């Protein structure tokens, strides 16, 4: 069995409780790099929180483009402009979710079951099948880590993880963040590998709740738990800014100081 | 734009292409061997917008920074409902941070206060979560949806009566 190594112990953080959404937002915030142009789409409160947290803590020169936000949406003519920015190859980081993910980096935002007689029909791709290829890095996120979501093969490929060489692609999957795990994209192998175990979970727990045979990285380690400073800024400045676009999420998922 | 088709990035190897006859894979004429998706223009027969203000000439202000102008121009027939019909002629300057649709892109204007319901409408009205939940519950079955349609669509004479029924249901739910 895989042994877990806790890379950096933060005894202070261990005394603090946090919600799964807060953990995911903190993990995402650490992935944002300074001077990047970062886009956040619709119905994405977790990455929106993570990006604003990153801006407040460690990437002062980041350009954040958050759809439906007064403060963080710079364009005058609507959501098409975020898509055109990505098509020009100028979007460094974007976030997508899905109703299914598989080992090969495919995600599904369309249907469960047969396309013509589905048991669940979602609203659809809304540009994600372009953004998944044209953003330099895409971080996938999902607040539920179960076998119904992590499947051997998605019922519908909204965006493909692996494409042939002759297809123009600026980037693609980079990470997949859940409350249990952080998966990293192995580009050479064309599959997800378990890179980090979130606090409270284990390699065994993750593999049990993943419907495909998940490879484990030789350097797998525990996520550094959210620090007091990260949680404090998340629960004050970020919570207040986020509440303007996502009042219910900010109130219910982000705790108060 | 009025172009016969447009090339789009991405989408290749997505199952979307299996179900959309208006999206085709062609070779990039400027880069041989590279497949690229081309899309047929969408030309809706009708586009409907709800506006903050409209004037009698058909100039319209819709809230926020949006793609409304693109959608209005794509459609053959454009219908606008408005919170308010103003006496003076509206211009681009009156729109400020909002979106301006000039009369040339608009066909019909109607005065319908609270016309965005159950959607929210900027600072003027909030999204009606309770009514949306009622709609979602009703939409799960044929018979419950027929009841919904009879109550809120076929069985009402105009938007005012619709709003009165919504109000009554809200008061009943609050007990």
């Amino acid at each position: 069995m895989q042994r877990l190594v806790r890379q950096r112990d933060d005894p202070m953080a261990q005394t603090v409780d946090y919600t799964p959404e807060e953990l995911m937002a903190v993990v995402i915030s650490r992935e944002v790099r300074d001077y990047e142009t970062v886009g956040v789409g619709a119905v994405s409160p977790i990455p929106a929180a993570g990006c604003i947290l990153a801006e407040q803590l460690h990437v002062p020169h980041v350009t954040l483009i958050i759809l439906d936000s007064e403060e963080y949406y710079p364009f005058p003519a609507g959501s098409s402009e975020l898509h055109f920015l990505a098509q020009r190859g100028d979007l460094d980081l974007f976030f997508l979710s899905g109703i299914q993910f598989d080992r090969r980096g495919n995600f599904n935002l369309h249907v469960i079951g047969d396309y013509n007689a589905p048991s669940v029909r979602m609203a659809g791709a809304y540009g994600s099948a372009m953004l998944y290829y044209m953003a330099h890095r895409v971080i996938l996120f999902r607040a539920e880590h179960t076998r119904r979501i992590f499947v051997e093969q998605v019922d519908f490929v909204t965006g493909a993880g692996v494409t042939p060489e002759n297809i123009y692609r600026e980037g693609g999957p980079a990470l997949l963040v859940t409350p249990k795990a952080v998966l990293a994209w192995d580009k050479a192998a064309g599959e997800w590998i378990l890179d980090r175990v979130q606090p409270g979970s284990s390699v065994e727990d993750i593999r049990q709740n993943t419907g495909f045979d998940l490879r484990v990285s030789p350097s797998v380690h525990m996520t550094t738990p959210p620090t007091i400073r990260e949680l404090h800024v998340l629960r004050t400045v970020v919570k207040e800014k986020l509440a303007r676009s996502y009042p219910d999420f900010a109130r219910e998922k982000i705790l108060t100081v | 734009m009025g172009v016969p088709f447009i090339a789009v990035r991405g989408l290749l190897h997505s199952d979307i292409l299996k179900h959309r006859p208006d999206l085709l894979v062609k070779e990039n004429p400027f880069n041989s061997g590279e497949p690229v998706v081309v899309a047929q223009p969408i030309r809706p027969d009708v586009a409907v917008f709800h506006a903050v203000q409209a004037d009698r000439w058909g100039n319209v202000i819709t809230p926020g920074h949006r793609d409304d102008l693109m959608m209005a121009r794509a459609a053959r027939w454009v219908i606008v409902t408005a919170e308010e019909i103003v006496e003076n002629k509206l211009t681009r300057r009156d729109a400020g941070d909002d979106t301006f649709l000039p009369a040339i892109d608009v066909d019909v204007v109607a005065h319908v206060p609270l016309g965005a319901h159950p959607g929210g409408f900027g600072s003027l009205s909030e999204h009606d979560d309770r009514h949306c939940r009622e709609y979602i519950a009703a939409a799960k079955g044929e018979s419950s949806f027929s009841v919904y349609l009879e109550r809120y669509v076929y069985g009402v004479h105009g938007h005012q009566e619709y709003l009165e029924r919504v109000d009554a249901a809200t008061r009943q739910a609050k007990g």
Side-chain angles (χ1 to χ4, degrees), chain A residues 75-80 87 115 129-130 133 157-158 164 166-168, chain B residues 8-16 19 33-35 65-67 70:
Chain A
F75 301 124
S79 61
S80 57
Q87 285 209 131
Y115 184 80
M130 180 275 288
Y133 297 50
V157 178
T158 297
N166 65 336
I167 285 176
Y168 187 86
Chain B
V8 194
R9 287 293 189 195
L11 285 159
L12 294 151
H13 290 257
S14 165
D15 285 343
I16 293 170
H19 303 280
E34 186 205 339
H65 294 172
R66 308 197 306 193
D67 300 303
M70 181 171 67

PDB file of all heavy atoms in Angstrom, chain A residues 75-80 87 115 129-130 133 157-158 164 166-168, chain B residues 8-16 19 33-35 65-67 70:
ATOM      1  N   PHE A  75     -14.807  43.528 -20.020  1.00  0.00           N
ATOM      2  CA  PHE A  75     -15.187  43.741 -21.412  1.00  0.00           C
ATOM      3  C   PHE A  75     -16.547  44.416 -21.540  1.00  0.00           C
ATOM      4  O   PHE A  75     -17.454  44.124 -20.776  1.00  0.00           O
ATOM      5  CB  PHE A  75     -15.220  42.407 -22.160  1.00  0.00           C
ATOM      6  CG  PHE A  75     -13.909  41.680 -22.138  1.00  0.00           C
ATOM      7  CD1 PHE A  75     -13.836  40.383 -21.653  1.00  0.00           C
ATOM      8  CD2 PHE A  75     -12.761  42.297 -22.592  1.00  0.00           C
ATOM      9  CE1 PHE A  75     -12.637  39.699 -21.635  1.00  0.00           C
ATOM     10  CE2 PHE A  75     -11.551  41.619 -22.578  1.00  0.00           C
ATOM     11  CZ  PHE A  75     -11.491  40.324 -22.094  1.00  0.00           C
ATOM     12  N   PRO A  76     -16.722  45.279 -22.568  1.00  0.00           N
ATOM     13  CA  PRO A  76     -17.994  45.989 -22.722  1.00  0.00           C
ATOM     14  C   PRO A  76     -19.094  45.207 -23.441  1.00  0.00           C
ATOM     15  O   PRO A  76     -20.244  45.565 -23.341  1.00  0.00           O
ATOM     16  CB  PRO A  76     -17.604  47.230 -23.531  1.00  0.00           C
ATOM     17  CG  PRO A  76     -16.417  46.802 -24.323  1.00  0.00           C
ATOM     18  CD  PRO A  76     -15.686  45.790 -23.481  1.00  0.00           C
ATOM     19  N   ALA A  77     -18.754  44.146 -24.183  1.00  0.00           N
ATOM     20  CA  ALA A  77     -19.778  43.560 -25.067  1.00  0.00           C
ATOM     21  C   ALA A  77     -20.172  42.124 -24.728  1.00  0.00           C
ATOM     22  O   ALA A  77     -20.552  41.365 -25.595  1.00  0.00           O
ATOM     23  CB  ALA A  77     -19.333  43.647 -26.518  1.00  0.00           C
ATOM     24  N   GLY A  78     -20.103  41.752 -23.471  1.00  0.00           N
ATOM     25  CA  GLY A  78     -20.675  40.467 -23.106  1.00  0.00           C
ATOM     26  C   GLY A  78     -19.696  39.310 -23.073  1.00  0.00           C
ATOM     27  O   GLY A  78     -18.492  39.476 -23.257  1.00  0.00           O
ATOM     28  N   SER A  79     -20.262  38.093 -22.849  1.00  0.00           N
ATOM     29  CA  SER A  79     -19.426  36.927 -22.586  1.00  0.00           C
ATOM     30  C   SER A  79     -18.664  36.464 -23.832  1.00  0.00           C
ATOM     31  O   SER A  79     -17.686  35.738 -23.725  1.00  0.00           O
ATOM     32  CB  SER A  79     -20.278  35.795 -22.044  1.00  0.00           C
ATOM     33  OG  SER A  79     -21.252  35.432 -23.001  1.00  0.00           O
ATOM     34  N   SER A  80     -19.108  36.853 -25.030  1.00  0.00           N
ATOM     35  CA  SER A  80     -18.405  36.444 -26.246  1.00  0.00           C
ATOM     36  C   SER A  80     -16.943  36.884 -26.193  1.00  0.00           C
ATOM     37  O   SER A  80     -16.067  36.215 -26.737  1.00  0.00           O
ATOM     38  CB  SER A  80     -19.081  37.033 -27.481  1.00  0.00           C
ATOM     39  OG  SER A  80     -19.139  38.433 -27.389  1.00  0.00           O
ATOM     40  N   GLN A  87      -9.788  32.141 -27.886  1.00  0.00           N
ATOM     41  CA  GLN A  87      -9.511  31.716 -29.270  1.00  0.00           C
ATOM     42  C   GLN A  87      -8.235  32.351 -29.811  1.00  0.00           C
ATOM     43  O   GLN A  87      -7.549  31.775 -30.642  1.00  0.00           O
ATOM     44  CB  GLN A  87     -10.678  32.066 -30.189  1.00  0.00           C
ATOM     45  CG  GLN A  87     -11.885  31.169 -30.029  1.00  0.00           C
ATOM     46  CD  GLN A  87     -12.690  31.037 -31.314  1.00  0.00           C
ATOM     47  OE1 GLN A  87     -13.029  29.944 -31.730  1.00  0.00           O
ATOM     48  NE2 GLN A  87     -13.011  32.155 -31.948  1.00  0.00           N
ATOM     49  N   TYR A 115     -27.932   9.767 -25.767  1.00  0.00           N
ATOM     50  CA  TYR A 115     -28.140  11.182 -26.103  1.00  0.00           C
ATOM     51  C   TYR A 115     -29.596  11.465 -26.480  1.00  0.00           C
ATOM     52  O   TYR A 115     -30.139  12.507 -26.136  1.00  0.00           O
ATOM     53  CB  TYR A 115     -27.225  11.584 -27.268  1.00  0.00           C
ATOM     54  CG  TYR A 115     -27.321  13.054 -27.609  1.00  0.00           C
ATOM     55  CD1 TYR A 115     -26.654  14.013 -26.863  1.00  0.00           C
ATOM     56  CD2 TYR A 115     -28.104  13.493 -28.687  1.00  0.00           C
ATOM     57  CE1 TYR A 115     -26.740  15.362 -27.163  1.00  0.00           C
ATOM     58  CE2 TYR A 115     -28.199  14.844 -28.990  1.00  0.00           C
ATOM     59  CZ  TYR A 115     -27.513  15.773 -28.220  1.00  0.00           C
ATOM     60  OH  TYR A 115     -27.614  17.102 -28.525  1.00  0.00           O
ATOM     61  N   ALA A 129     -16.121  23.351 -24.935  1.00  0.00           N
ATOM     62  CA  ALA A 129     -15.426  22.466 -25.873  1.00  0.00           C
ATOM     63  C   ALA A 129     -14.391  23.237 -26.697  1.00  0.00           C
ATOM     64  O   ALA A 129     -13.544  22.643 -27.343  1.00  0.00           O
ATOM     65  CB  ALA A 129     -16.425  21.767 -26.792  1.00  0.00           C
ATOM     66  N   MET A 130     -14.467  24.552 -26.698  1.00  0.00           N
ATOM     67  CA  MET A 130     -13.408  25.383 -27.284  1.00  0.00           C
ATOM     68  C   MET A 130     -12.387  25.733 -26.198  1.00  0.00           C
ATOM     69  O   MET A 130     -11.166  25.599 -26.399  1.00  0.00           O
ATOM     70  CB  MET A 130     -14.015  26.642 -27.907  1.00  0.00           C
ATOM     71  CG  MET A 130     -13.007  27.583 -28.557  1.00  0.00           C
ATOM     72  SD  MET A 130     -12.253  28.725 -27.373  1.00  0.00           S
ATOM     73  CE  MET A 130     -13.644  29.825 -27.065  1.00  0.00           C
ATOM     74  N   TYR A 133      -9.538  23.432 -25.144  1.00  0.00           N
ATOM     75  CA  TYR A 133      -8.411  23.281 -26.065  1.00  0.00           C
ATOM     76  C   TYR A 133      -7.576  24.558 -26.137  1.00  0.00           C
ATOM     77  O   TYR A 133      -6.389  24.508 -26.454  1.00  0.00           O
ATOM     78  CB  TYR A 133      -8.917  22.976 -27.479  1.00  0.00           C
ATOM     79  CG  TYR A 133      -9.669  21.662 -27.619  1.00  0.00           C
ATOM     80  CD1 TYR A 133     -10.705  21.321 -26.759  1.00  0.00           C
ATOM     81  CD2 TYR A 133      -9.352  20.776 -28.631  1.00  0.00           C
ATOM     82  CE1 TYR A 133     -11.405  20.138 -26.907  1.00  0.00           C
ATOM     83  CE2 TYR A 133     -10.047  19.580 -28.786  1.00  0.00           C
ATOM     84  CZ  TYR A 133     -11.076  19.273 -27.911  1.00  0.00           C
ATOM     85  OH  TYR A 133     -11.759  18.093 -28.061  1.00  0.00           O
ATOM     86  N   VAL A 157     -18.739  12.824 -24.686  1.00  0.00           N
ATOM     87  CA  VAL A 157     -17.494  13.605 -24.625  1.00  0.00           C
ATOM     88  C   VAL A 157     -17.811  15.048 -25.014  1.00  0.00           C
ATOM     89  O   VAL A 157     -17.979  15.357 -26.191  1.00  0.00           O
ATOM     90  CB  VAL A 157     -16.415  13.037 -25.575  1.00  0.00           C
ATOM     91  CG1 VAL A 157     -15.143  13.898 -25.517  1.00  0.00           C
ATOM     92  CG2 VAL A 157     -16.092  11.589 -25.224  1.00  0.00           C
ATOM     93  N   THR A 158     -17.921  15.906 -24.011  1.00  0.00           N
ATOM     94  CA  THR A 158     -18.105  17.329 -24.329  1.00  0.00           C
ATOM     95  C   THR A 158     -16.769  17.906 -24.802  1.00  0.00           C
ATOM     96  O   THR A 158     -16.691  18.557 -25.841  1.00  0.00           O
ATOM     97  CB  THR A 158     -18.622  18.101 -23.102  1.00  0.00           C
ATOM     98  OG1 THR A 158     -19.902  17.582 -22.742  1.00  0.00           O
ATOM     99  CG2 THR A 158     -18.744  19.588 -23.400  1.00  0.00           C
ATOM    100  N   PRO A 164      -5.385  14.134 -31.482  1.00  0.00           N
ATOM    101  CA  PRO A 164      -4.221  13.886 -32.342  1.00  0.00           C
ATOM    102  C   PRO A 164      -3.348  15.132 -32.520  1.00  0.00           C
ATOM    103  O   PRO A 164      -3.811  16.254 -32.310  1.00  0.00           O
ATOM    104  CB  PRO A 164      -4.855  13.483 -33.686  1.00  0.00           C
ATOM    105  CG  PRO A 164      -6.253  13.104 -33.378  1.00  0.00           C
ATOM    106  CD  PRO A 164      -6.656  13.878 -32.175  1.00  0.00           C
ATOM    107  N   ASN A 166      -2.276  16.732 -35.081  1.00  0.00           N
ATOM    108  CA  ASN A 166      -2.563  17.753 -36.106  1.00  0.00           C
ATOM    109  C   ASN A 166      -3.702  18.703 -35.721  1.00  0.00           C
ATOM    110  O   ASN A 166      -4.069  19.575 -36.486  1.00  0.00           O
ATOM    111  CB  ASN A 166      -2.872  17.084 -37.458  1.00  0.00           C
ATOM    112  CG  ASN A 166      -4.145  16.252 -37.410  1.00  0.00           C
ATOM    113  OD1 ASN A 166      -4.563  15.803 -36.346  1.00  0.00           O
ATOM    114  ND2 ASN A 166      -4.758  16.046 -38.568  1.00  0.00           N
ATOM    115  N   ILE A 167      -4.265  18.505 -34.541  1.00  0.00           N
ATOM    116  CA  ILE A 167      -5.339  19.384 -34.084  1.00  0.00           C
ATOM    117  C   ILE A 167      -4.755  20.550 -33.303  1.00  0.00           C
ATOM    118  O   ILE A 167      -3.966  20.346 -32.375  1.00  0.00           O
ATOM    119  CB  ILE A 167      -6.356  18.587 -33.243  1.00  0.00           C
ATOM    120  CG1 ILE A 167      -7.208  17.748 -34.195  1.00  0.00           C
ATOM    121  CG2 ILE A 167      -7.218  19.502 -32.392  1.00  0.00           C
ATOM    122  CD1 ILE A 167      -8.172  16.856 -33.496  1.00  0.00           C
ATOM    123  N   TYR A 168      -5.162  21.761 -33.705  1.00  0.00           N
ATOM    124  CA  TYR A 168      -4.616  22.944 -33.042  1.00  0.00           C
ATOM    125  C   TYR A 168      -5.133  23.026 -31.612  1.00  0.00           C
ATOM    126  O   TYR A 168      -6.328  23.031 -31.359  1.00  0.00           O
ATOM    127  CB  TYR A 168      -5.007  24.202 -33.812  1.00  0.00           C
ATOM    128  CG  TYR A 168      -4.314  25.424 -33.264  1.00  0.00           C
ATOM    129  CD1 TYR A 168      -3.049  25.765 -33.716  1.00  0.00           C
ATOM    130  CD2 TYR A 168      -4.911  26.195 -32.269  1.00  0.00           C
ATOM    131  CE1 TYR A 168      -2.391  26.869 -33.198  1.00  0.00           C
ATOM    132  CE2 TYR A 168      -4.254  27.299 -31.750  1.00  0.00           C
ATOM    133  CZ  TYR A 168      -3.003  27.629 -32.212  1.00  0.00           C
ATOM    134  OH  TYR A 168      -2.352  28.721 -31.700  1.00  0.00           O
TER     135      TYR A 168
ATOM    136  N   VAL B   8     -14.289  27.931 -36.131  1.00  0.00           N
ATOM    137  CA  VAL B   8     -14.257  27.956 -34.674  1.00  0.00           C
ATOM    138  C   VAL B   8     -13.108  27.080 -34.189  1.00  0.00           C
ATOM    139  O   VAL B   8     -12.862  26.016 -34.748  1.00  0.00           O
ATOM    140  CB  VAL B   8     -15.574  27.409 -34.069  1.00  0.00           C
ATOM    141  CG1 VAL B   8     -15.670  27.742 -32.591  1.00  0.00           C
ATOM    142  CG2 VAL B   8     -16.775  27.925 -34.815  1.00  0.00           C
ATOM    143  N   ARG B   9     -12.414  27.531 -33.150  1.00  0.00           N
ATOM    144  CA  ARG B   9     -11.361  26.712 -32.541  1.00  0.00           C
ATOM    145  C   ARG B   9     -11.977  25.620 -31.659  1.00  0.00           C
ATOM    146  O   ARG B   9     -13.129  25.699 -31.245  1.00  0.00           O
ATOM    147  CB  ARG B   9     -10.436  27.595 -31.707  1.00  0.00           C
ATOM    148  CG  ARG B   9      -9.513  28.479 -32.536  1.00  0.00           C
ATOM    149  CD  ARG B   9      -8.523  27.632 -33.281  1.00  0.00           C
ATOM    150  NE  ARG B   9      -7.477  28.410 -33.938  1.00  0.00           N
ATOM    151  CZ  ARG B   9      -6.681  27.917 -34.869  1.00  0.00           C
ATOM    152  NH1 ARG B   9      -6.810  26.661 -35.273  1.00  0.00           N
ATOM    153  NH2 ARG B   9      -5.745  28.663 -35.405  1.00  0.00           N
ATOM    154  N   GLY B  10     -11.148  24.627 -31.330  1.00  0.00           N
ATOM    155  CA  GLY B  10     -11.577  23.579 -30.417  1.00  0.00           C
ATOM    156  C   GLY B  10     -12.615  22.656 -31.040  1.00  0.00           C
ATOM    157  O   GLY B  10     -12.672  22.508 -32.263  1.00  0.00           O
ATOM    158  N   LEU B  11     -13.413  22.031 -30.205  1.00  0.00           N
ATOM    159  CA  LEU B  11     -14.557  21.189 -30.578  1.00  0.00           C
ATOM    160  C   LEU B  11     -14.199  19.862 -31.245  1.00  0.00           C
ATOM    161  O   LEU B  11     -15.014  18.937 -31.254  1.00  0.00           O
ATOM    162  CB  LEU B  11     -15.519  21.942 -31.513  1.00  0.00           C
ATOM    163  CG  LEU B  11     -16.389  22.999 -30.837  1.00  0.00           C
ATOM    164  CD1 LEU B  11     -16.894  24.001 -31.869  1.00  0.00           C
ATOM    165  CD2 LEU B  11     -17.563  22.364 -30.128  1.00  0.00           C
ATOM    166  N   LEU B  12     -13.007  19.732 -31.832  1.00  0.00           N
ATOM    167  CA  LEU B  12     -12.652  18.504 -32.528  1.00  0.00           C
ATOM    168  C   LEU B  12     -12.576  17.349 -31.529  1.00  0.00           C
ATOM    169  O   LEU B  12     -12.077  17.513 -30.424  1.00  0.00           O
ATOM    170  CB  LEU B  12     -11.320  18.702 -33.269  1.00  0.00           C
ATOM    171  CG  LEU B  12     -11.445  19.720 -34.410  1.00  0.00           C
ATOM    172  CD1 LEU B  12     -10.134  20.437 -34.660  1.00  0.00           C
ATOM    173  CD2 LEU B  12     -11.939  19.027 -35.679  1.00  0.00           C
ATOM    174  N   HIS B  13     -13.101  16.197 -31.936  1.00  0.00           N
ATOM    175  CA  HIS B  13     -13.179  15.008 -31.086  1.00  0.00           C
ATOM    176  C   HIS B  13     -14.169  15.163 -29.937  1.00  0.00           C
ATOM    177  O   HIS B  13     -14.181  14.355 -29.007  1.00  0.00           O
ATOM    178  CB  HIS B  13     -11.798  14.580 -30.561  1.00  0.00           C
ATOM    179  CG  HIS B  13     -10.936  14.017 -31.661  1.00  0.00           C
ATOM    180  ND1 HIS B  13     -10.714  12.687 -31.812  1.00  0.00           N
ATOM    181  CD2 HIS B  13     -10.306  14.629 -32.685  1.00  0.00           C
ATOM    182  CE1 HIS B  13      -9.953  12.489 -32.879  1.00  0.00           C
ATOM    183  NE2 HIS B  13      -9.700  13.657 -33.430  1.00  0.00           N
ATOM    184  N   SER B  14     -14.999  16.186 -29.989  1.00  0.00           N
ATOM    185  CA  SER B  14     -16.115  16.294 -29.057  1.00  0.00           C
ATOM    186  C   SER B  14     -17.323  15.612 -29.690  1.00  0.00           C
ATOM    187  O   SER B  14     -17.523  15.680 -30.908  1.00  0.00           O
ATOM    188  CB  SER B  14     -16.446  17.762 -28.790  1.00  0.00           C
ATOM    189  OG  SER B  14     -17.722  17.862 -28.173  1.00  0.00           O
ATOM    190  N   ASP B  15     -18.145  14.952 -28.852  1.00  0.00           N
ATOM    191  CA  ASP B  15     -19.359  14.305 -29.370  1.00  0.00           C
ATOM    192  C   ASP B  15     -20.386  15.321 -29.854  1.00  0.00           C
ATOM    193  O   ASP B  15     -21.372  14.943 -30.501  1.00  0.00           O
ATOM    194  CB  ASP B  15     -19.983  13.404 -28.286  1.00  0.00           C
ATOM    195  CG  ASP B  15     -19.186  12.115 -28.091  1.00  0.00           C
ATOM    196  OD1 ASP B  15     -18.376  11.779 -28.983  1.00  0.00           O
ATOM    197  OD2 ASP B  15     -19.373  11.451 -27.050  1.00  0.00           O
ATOM    198  N   ILE B  16     -20.179  16.573 -29.545  1.00  0.00           N
ATOM    199  CA  ILE B  16     -21.080  17.625 -30.039  1.00  0.00           C
ATOM    200  C   ILE B  16     -21.197  17.528 -31.565  1.00  0.00           C
ATOM    201  O   ILE B  16     -22.280  17.675 -32.127  1.00  0.00           O
ATOM    202  CB  ILE B  16     -20.542  19.022 -29.632  1.00  0.00           C
ATOM    203  CG1 ILE B  16     -20.604  19.199 -28.117  1.00  0.00           C
ATOM    204  CG2 ILE B  16     -21.325  20.132 -30.326  1.00  0.00           C
ATOM    205  CD1 ILE B  16     -19.870  20.431 -27.617  1.00  0.00           C
ATOM    206  N   HIS B  19     -23.849  15.364 -33.298  1.00  0.00           N
ATOM    207  CA  HIS B  19     -25.272  15.700 -33.184  1.00  0.00           C
ATOM    208  C   HIS B  19     -25.621  17.062 -33.763  1.00  0.00           C
ATOM    209  O   HIS B  19     -26.740  17.512 -33.627  1.00  0.00           O
ATOM    210  CB  HIS B  19     -25.685  15.650 -31.705  1.00  0.00           C
ATOM    211  CG  HIS B  19     -25.421  14.324 -31.069  1.00  0.00           C
ATOM    212  ND1 HIS B  19     -26.261  13.244 -31.235  1.00  0.00           N
ATOM    213  CD2 HIS B  19     -24.394  13.884 -30.311  1.00  0.00           C
ATOM    214  CE1 HIS B  19     -25.770  12.199 -30.590  1.00  0.00           C
ATOM    215  NE2 HIS B  19     -24.629  12.553 -30.015  1.00  0.00           N
ATOM    216  N   GLY B  33      -3.821  20.144 -44.094  1.00  0.00           N
ATOM    217  CA  GLY B  33      -3.684  19.032 -43.155  1.00  0.00           C
ATOM    218  C   GLY B  33      -4.264  19.318 -41.788  1.00  0.00           C
ATOM    219  O   GLY B  33      -4.401  18.407 -40.977  1.00  0.00           O
ATOM    220  N   GLU B  34      -4.616  20.588 -41.536  1.00  0.00           N
ATOM    221  CA  GLU B  34      -5.170  20.903 -40.220  1.00  0.00           C
ATOM    222  C   GLU B  34      -6.696  20.919 -40.271  1.00  0.00           C
ATOM    223  O   GLU B  34      -7.286  21.711 -40.992  1.00  0.00           O
ATOM    224  CB  GLU B  34      -4.691  22.285 -39.742  1.00  0.00           C
ATOM    225  CG  GLU B  34      -5.120  22.583 -38.315  1.00  0.00           C
ATOM    226  CD  GLU B  34      -5.219  24.084 -38.012  1.00  0.00           C
ATOM    227  OE1 GLU B  34      -4.616  24.889 -38.719  1.00  0.00           O
ATOM    228  OE2 GLU B  34      -5.931  24.427 -37.046  1.00  0.00           O
ATOM    229  N   PRO B  35      -7.351  20.012 -39.508  1.00  0.00           N
ATOM    230  CA  PRO B  35      -8.815  20.044 -39.478  1.00  0.00           C
ATOM    231  C   PRO B  35      -9.306  21.229 -38.644  1.00  0.00           C
ATOM    232  O   PRO B  35      -8.674  21.597 -37.647  1.00  0.00           O
ATOM    233  CB  PRO B  35      -9.191  18.718 -38.816  1.00  0.00           C
ATOM    234  CG  PRO B  35      -8.010  18.331 -38.001  1.00  0.00           C
ATOM    235  CD  PRO B  35      -6.794  18.972 -38.636  1.00  0.00           C
ATOM    236  N   HIS B  65     -23.597  44.656 -19.538  1.00  0.00           N
ATOM    237  CA  HIS B  65     -22.761  44.474 -20.727  1.00  0.00           C
ATOM    238  C   HIS B  65     -23.095  43.125 -21.307  1.00  0.00           C
ATOM    239  O   HIS B  65     -22.716  42.104 -20.761  1.00  0.00           O
ATOM    240  CB  HIS B  65     -21.277  44.457 -20.339  1.00  0.00           C
ATOM    241  CG  HIS B  65     -20.799  45.756 -19.825  1.00  0.00           C
ATOM    242  ND1 HIS B  65     -19.564  45.909 -19.284  1.00  0.00           N
ATOM    243  CD2 HIS B  65     -21.397  46.962 -19.765  1.00  0.00           C
ATOM    244  CE1 HIS B  65     -19.412  47.160 -18.907  1.00  0.00           C
ATOM    245  NE2 HIS B  65     -20.513  47.817 -19.186  1.00  0.00           N
ATOM    246  N   ARG B  66     -23.786  43.071 -22.404  1.00  0.00           N
ATOM    247  CA  ARG B  66     -24.212  41.763 -22.877  1.00  0.00           C
ATOM    248  C   ARG B  66     -24.088  41.652 -24.385  1.00  0.00           C
ATOM    249  O   ARG B  66     -23.791  42.611 -25.077  1.00  0.00           O
ATOM    250  CB  ARG B  66     -25.648  41.489 -22.432  1.00  0.00           C
ATOM    251  CG  ARG B  66     -25.833  41.702 -20.926  1.00  0.00           C
ATOM    252  CD  ARG B  66     -27.057  41.075 -20.406  1.00  0.00           C
ATOM    253  NE  ARG B  66     -28.256  41.493 -21.131  1.00  0.00           N
ATOM    254  CZ  ARG B  66     -29.480  41.261 -20.696  1.00  0.00           C
ATOM    255  NH1 ARG B  66     -29.656  40.620 -19.566  1.00  0.00           N
ATOM    256  NH2 ARG B  66     -30.516  41.657 -21.392  1.00  0.00           N
ATOM    257  N   ASP B  67     -24.353  40.428 -24.863  1.00  0.00           N
ATOM    258  CA  ASP B  67     -24.247  40.154 -26.296  1.00  0.00           C
ATOM    259  C   ASP B  67     -25.575  40.397 -26.996  1.00  0.00           C
ATOM    260  O   ASP B  67     -25.828  39.832 -28.051  1.00  0.00           O
ATOM    261  CB  ASP B  67     -23.790  38.704 -26.502  1.00  0.00           C
ATOM    262  CG  ASP B  67     -22.436  38.451 -25.870  1.00  0.00           C
ATOM    263  OD1 ASP B  67     -21.492  39.159 -26.218  1.00  0.00           O
ATOM    264  OD2 ASP B  67     -22.339  37.549 -25.012  1.00  0.00           O
ATOM    265  N   MET B  70     -25.597  41.494 -30.785  1.00  0.00           N
ATOM    266  CA  MET B  70     -25.258  40.406 -31.697  1.00  0.00           C
ATOM    267  C   MET B  70     -26.484  39.516 -31.930  1.00  0.00           C
ATOM    268  O   MET B  70     -26.795  39.143 -33.065  1.00  0.00           O
ATOM    269  CB  MET B  70     -24.107  39.601 -31.087  1.00  0.00           C
ATOM    270  CG  MET B  70     -23.616  38.454 -31.934  1.00  0.00           C
ATOM    271  SD  MET B  70     -22.112  37.739 -31.264  1.00  0.00           S
ATOM    272  CE  MET B  70     -22.688  37.018 -29.731  1.00  0.00           C
TER     273      MET B  70
END
